[in-house]
Amino acid sequence: MIFQFIGGLGIFLFGLKYMGDGLQKSAGDRLRNILDRFTTNPFMGVLAGMLVTMLIQSSSGTTVLTVGLVNAGFMTLRQAIGIIMGANIGTTVTAFIIGIEIKEYGLPILALGALLLFFFKNKKITYLGQTLFGFGALFYGLKLMSTGMKPLRGLEAFQDLTVSMSEQPILGVAIGTLFTVVVQSSSATIGVLQGLYEQGAIDLQAALPVLFGDNIGTTITAVLAAIGASIAAKRAAFTHVIFNIVGTVLFLFLLKLYIPFIDYLKSAIGLNEPMTIAFAHGIFNFTNMLIQFPFIGLLAYIVTKLIPGEDTAVDQKPQHLDPIFIEQSPSLALDQAKEEVMRMGDFAYKGLEETSQYLNTQQRKHADKALQFEEALNNLDRNITDYLVSISGSSLTEAESAKHSALIDSVRDIERIGDHFENILELVDYKISNKLDLTEQAKEDLNDMLNLTLLTVKQAIKSLETMDREEALAVVQKENQIDQYERSYRKKHIIRMNDGLCTGPAGIVFVDIISNLERIGDHAVNIAEEVLANHN
């Protein structure tokens, strides 16, 4: 019985994850875009959360994705709360699918999925195959679990437990929470519950508190994802916990009314046992959302008070690119684009600064912050370039055209600075994981070059902001010095390696870091040259 149950649970969980992954691959980056784009207000957030959760078959997955977006500065806490509420409704779809009586067809669906996976090269078909394979595995696992749970009805200890759960709903909530925390899937807990109810091993009075508890248990994934994340991400995860605990407490008070209501629905619509649990789950989550939706602002206020502190997430969204200026005043639109380019330049400098801190302290928080800046650079690069391309359709004066061209080229160079400090971060990671040591002289040389590169980037961005010729010429001088450093330090390092003072792998890390710094200097000088070109 135990083997059938745990084996069935394993296949069910695998099927659920594999199906979700297949759907996610089919959708690609669109899932992230749905969450990012359609969260202009909390109501749209609820719809986006529902849609994405239906696609990936995991409320935890959606919440983790949301925590990631909040952490990256893509969305506010209020927007995230809407998505979390929607995710809770979207996750009930799995229960409704289980309620459809197609368990017997699990194996043929699985076989069809395998056929599409292994005999077709087209990616879209293989993703469909993966989804179908997961779908079939989900039902096959469910069937095994149900068969394994049949003897539970005759076990006296289990009967005693269900009686206790009927008399003490809190016990049912605790069991539901614990089981979901262990298997990391509310859908699995609901699936087991549906199987038990179908076998007559548990009654509705004992099943519903377990169902409420599983909603609390599912928050653990988001909580784990928020460990080490920004304060805003921690708040988003904690909101998920509060939202589900409040819903559970409310429904425990209403349990005496809710049980006869579900019983009435079952007989009125003629629902089978698994579908009855699905309806109970769906109505619970939907009602919970309706009750708490008007209090999103209050929820945000509460978690802000419970988790105090200044939010450190980098705001990745552009702040100055209003499309209305493109039509009305291309000149003003160019000024707006330049403001955003300056913001991007500031991010590049700060990212390189955090990279320097990571190299010297090896504290992970500096690498994480630098990676946030790098992601912001990539996002702003796309947005600013699109905005500048839109401006190019307008009639620009000769001076404006020159400014436009300088901005387009500078955006590309600033984005490339981000790519190079990301390379350095990876090299430092390699150095740490392989326990490579650099000599004191190598560390000193790296810091000299890093400090000079930081000054060069800062001055290049300043020269672009002020369009100052003297500043731009100073950047060219500094970049020549960076080139000299690179040649000199490379030679010194070869001598150290020949003298046996430094190992080969550590030497490669050193040479690659100075090479990336030299390339950052090249991009800084490209920006300065745009300024000089505008003065000729």
Side-chain angles (χ1 to χ4, degrees):
M1 184 183 98
I2 291 168
F3 286 176
Q4 267 202 308
F5 176 73
I6 59 172
L9 180 63
I11 293 170
F12 178 90
L13 287 169
F14 170 76
L16 192 66
K17 169 125 183 44
Y18 207 57
M19 179 170 75
D21 287 350
L23 286 163
Q24 206 162 353
K25 282 176 188 169
S26 302
D29 289 336
R30 279 173 290 183
L31 294 179
R32 193 183 168 106
N33 291 340
I34 288 168
L35 290 180
D36 184 25
R37 222 177 265 174
F38 299 105
T39 50
T40 44
N41 59 58
F43 177 71
M44 290 301 288
V46 171
L47 293 179
M50 278 170 61
L51 181 63
V52 171
T53 308
M54 285 174 189
L55 284 172
I56 64 173
Q57 291 292 297
S58 167
S59 60
S60 301
T62 305
T63 312
V64 168
L65 207 56
T66 306
V67 166
L69 287 166
V70 171
N71 191 42
F74 270 104
M75 66 172 63
T76 63
L77 179 61
R78 286 172 73 104
Q79 290 171 326
I81 294 171
I83 291 171
I84 288 162
M85 288 179 170
N88 269 30
I89 299 167
T91 194
T92 63
V93 169
T94 314
F96 281 101
I97 291 169
I98 292 166
I100 302 163
E101 293 189 352
I102 51 171
K103 254 186 282 184
E104 301 306 318
Y105 303 104
L107 286 173
I109 294 169
L110 199 145
L112 178 62
L115 187 78
L116 297 178
L117 261 175
F118 293 107
F119 294 99
F120 290 89
K121 292 281 180 271
N122 185 302
K123 276 192 173 177
K124 282 184 179 175
I125 294 174
T126 55
Y127 293 156
L128 174 65
Q130 184 174 341
T131 306
L132 284 173
F133 188 91
F135 192 60
L138 184 146
F139 279 105
Y140 182 60
L142 199 66
K143 192 178 177 199
L144 283 178
M145 275 197 293
S146 294
T147 312
M149 287 185 291
K150 256 183 192 169
L152 280 176
R153 276 184 301 186
L155 278 180
E156 201 176 323
F158 188 77
Q159 285 171 352
D160 291 343
L161 179 65
T162 56
V163 168
S164 302
M165 277 157 52
S166 299
E167 290 168 356
Q168 297 169 300
I170 295 292
L171 180 64
V173 171
I175 288 169
T177 303
L178 190 65
F179 188 63
T180 310
V181 165
V182 171
V183 299
Q184 296 272 297
S185 168
S186 60
S187 297
T189 316
I190 299 293
V192 171
L193 205 57
Q194 285 170 304
L196 286 169
Y197 187 51
E198 190 177 20
Q199 300 296 344
I202 192 169
D203 62 12
L204 206 54
Q205 202 167 337
L208 291 182
V210 177
L211 187 145
F212 304 155
D214 111 86
N215 278 275
I216 298 172
T218 195
T219 62
I220 189 70
T221 318
V223 170
L224 292 172
I227 293 169
S230 69
I231 286 171
K234 285 189 175 79
R235 286 171 182 162
F238 199 53
T239 304
H240 195 200
V241 179
I242 292 175
F243 176 68
N244 284 336
I245 288 175
V246 168
T248 298
V249 171
L250 280 171
F251 270 78
L252 281 177
F253 279 119
L254 298 168
L255 195 60
K256 290 277 188 284
L257 297 169
Y258 197 51
I259 294 165
F261 172 68
I262 295 299
D263 248 337
Y264 165 75
L265 265 186
K266 184 185 178 185
S267 54
I269 310 174
L271 302 173
N272 64 17
E273 282 78 6
M275 197 58 95
T276 305
I277 297 291
F279 266 86
H281 189 211
I283 292 166
F284 164 70
N285 278 313
F286 188 72
T287 311
N288 188 24
M289 184 275 292
L290 284 180
I291 292 168
Q292 295 195 55
F293 185 78
F295 303 106
I296 283 180
L298 180 64
L299 264 173
Y301 176 77
I302 289 167
V303 289
T304 306
K305 289 292 174 195
L306 289 170
I307 302 175
E310 197 62 42
D311 184 36
T312 54
V314 177
D315 187 358
Q316 301 203 7
K317 288 192 171 180
Q319 293 179 353
H320 305 94
L321 307 181
D322 194 332
I324 200 161
F325 292 122
I326 297 170
E327 292 295 320
Q328 293 184 348
S329 171
S331 172
L332 203 53
L334 268 179
D335 288 341
Q336 294 288 78
K338 187 174 176 180
E339 285 291 317
E340 208 59 62
V341 173
M342 291 304 104
R343 216 172 134 244
M344 195 179 170
D346 185 47
F347 284 172
Y349 175 77
K350 284 176 178 170
L352 186 57
E353 207 171 31
E354 291 291 341
T355 304
S356 172
Q357 294 269 21
Y358 185 47
L359 177 67
N360 287 300
T361 66
Q362 297 188 4
Q363 289 180 348
R364 189 67 220 172
K365 64 177 182 183
H366 294 299
D368 291 339
K369 194 72 189 226
L371 288 169
Q372 273 192 40
F373 282 120
E374 206 283 321
E375 204 174 332
L377 289 175
N378 290 340
N379 188 51
L380 289 175
D381 170 37
R382 285 192 298 273
N383 283 288
I384 297 169
T385 304
D386 289 346
Y387 192 74
L388 287 168
V389 167
S390 301
I391 295 172
S392 63
S394 315
S395 51
L396 300 171
T397 64
E398 199 174 323
E400 285 168 352
S401 289
K403 184 178 177 181
H404 181 273
S405 174
L407 288 176
I408 282 226
D409 290 339
S410 298
V411 165
R412 191 180 60 241
D413 282 304
I414 295 169
E415 193 277 326
R416 293 292 292 133
I417 289 171
D419 291 344
H420 286 296
F421 72 62
E422 187 180 21
N423 291 347
I424 296 171
L425 290 170
E426 286 169 5
L427 288 163
V428 178
D429 282 340
Y430 177 81
K431 174 182 162 297
I432 294 167
S433 60
N434 288 281
K435 297 182 172 61
L436 303 176
D437 283 323
L438 295 172
T439 62
E440 285 307 311
Q441 185 58 57
K443 287 177 189 172
E444 202 177 303
D445 291 350
L446 274 182
N447 278 313
D448 285 348
M449 195 164 171
L450 255 167
N451 292 334
L452 180 60
T453 309
L454 273 164
L455 284 172
T456 310
V457 169
K458 194 171 193 174
Q459 199 158 22
I461 302 302
K462 194 179 175 190
S463 73
L464 183 65
E465 185 179 12
T466 56
M467 294 306 276
D468 188 315
R469 189 170 183 274
E470 296 308 312
E471 291 272 11
L473 287 169
V475 172
V476 175
Q477 282 184 327
K478 283 189 174 71
E479 200 276 329
N480 286 334
Q481 201 179 339
I482 289 173
D483 287 350
Q484 284 168 11
Y485 273 6
E486 201 250 352
R487 285 192 293 271
S488 159
Y489 293 163
R490 195 184 284 265
K491 281 175 189 169
K492 279 165 71 178
H493 200 68
I494 289 166
I495 292 165
R496 281 198 295 273
M497 284 173 70
N498 289 340
D499 292 345
L501 298 171
C502 184
T503 63
I508 291 166
V509 168
F510 177 86
V511 169
D512 280 354
I513 291 175
I514 62 169
S515 174
N516 275 288
L517 289 172
E518 190 272 330
R519 295 291 294 124
I520 289 172
D522 289 347
H523 289 295
V525 91
N526 288 348
I527 295 166
E529 281 170 357
E530 291 294 338
V531 176
L532 294 171
N534 269 267
H535 277 276
N536 291 340

